[in-house]
Amino acid sequence: MAASTAAAAAALRLPFPLLSSPAASSSTLRFSLRRRGGAPRSLAVAAAFKKLSEASPLPIPQEPTEPLADEEALPPKPGVYGVYDPSGELQFVGISRNVRASVEGHRRKVPADLCASVKVAIADEETPDRTALSNAWKSWMEEHIEATGKAPPGNVAGNYTWVAAPQRPADLRLTPGRHVQLTVPLEQLIDRLVKENKAVAFIKGSRSAPQCGFSQRVVGILEAHGVDFVTVDVLDEEHNHGLRESLKTYSNWPTFPQIFVGGELVGGCDIISSMAEKGELAALFQK
């Protein structure tokens, strides 16, 4: 159970800012369930928040026209909440400044077969301490993972059923267009690009729509690890004309994608995938 628990906690998402609607923007919070000694850590949670196992489930009507539970049971106040499917499986744990509005939002946007009931723990204060709310969320996650060995599906990084996908930055372009005469060699533009950015991924296609499986995998791995990186589309002949051949010469690497960190070539998809599997990727980007 210890191994599966650690794996389940490797990449969990906490919605921030504290949401009144699940469609709002989100960022990532990662936490480990265990200290170095291996013992589970306990979280200081405000007394106002119940444990997940102590909260009573409230039904979520399947018909959109049917009202939710009354405001006394599901008030428009800050708190933490968990949504269950009809079989009683926990699907998502959220945190919100208006729990009722968030549940209403999920009810409208998330498939009905994932929303059958909800458990809530409400804060005593109208504007509770942010740390107390996040600790309550962590406590519910910890309790569920300790009991089941896995995180709720909606809280696993990369699952955007419950929380909107982050907006991806636009791909960088080397030139304004093919019609513009370059005043410096393309290799010099490449050199400047990889040295001025901490991490650069030269991929086939755009970041939002990679055009090959290897490029898609690299983007997925880097995003899942929370890496701050930029992408360049080597297939964009309008703004990156000649890049593929020039980059092969510059890097002495024949295939794509190519990932540079700190101005140095790390490698392609195989190397990035291997480093991710061995847990070496985080250390690479901390240098």
Side-chain angles (χ1 to χ4, degrees), residues 172-183 186 189 236-241:
L172 297 186
R173 295 170 171 176
L174 287 178
T175 73
R178 291 184 65 168
H179 62 284
V180 177
Q181 183 67 37
L182 296 180
T183 58
L186 193 56
L189 293 179
D236 183 356
E237 283 298 318
E238 174 61 29
H239 300 94
N240 302 324
H241 179 62

Side-chain angles (χ1 to χ4, degrees), residues 203-205 209-217 256-257:
I203 64 174
K204 290 184 178 181
Q211 296 299 304
C212 79
F214 297 120
S215 295
Q216 184 176 32
R217 177 162 176 74
F256 300 98

Side-chain angles (χ1 to χ4, degrees), residues 26-41:
S26 66
S27 59
T28 300
L29 173 68
R30 301 178 189 278
F31 70 97
S32 172
L33 295 182
R34 298 185 179 277
R35 295 177 177 170
R36 289 185 178 180
R41 66 185 178 92

Side-chain angles (χ1 to χ4, degrees), residues 1 5 8-9 12 31 33-34 40-43 45 49-56 80 84 90 93 119 121 135-152:
M1 175 68 79
T5 298
L12 301 176
F31 70 97
L33 295 182
R34 298 185 179 277
R41 66 185 178 92
S42 59
L43 296 164
V45 181
F49 296 107
K50 299 178 181 178
K51 291 183 178 180
L52 176 64
S53 57
E54 295 174 348
S56 300
V80 60
Y84 291 77
L90 181 61
V93 175
K119 289 185 176 183
N135 279 351
W137 180 88
K138 293 178 189 179
S139 178
W140 276 33
M141 294 297 301
E142 182 179 66
E143 183 180 347
H144 178 73
I145 293 173
E146 288 288 345
T148 66
K150 61 182 180 181

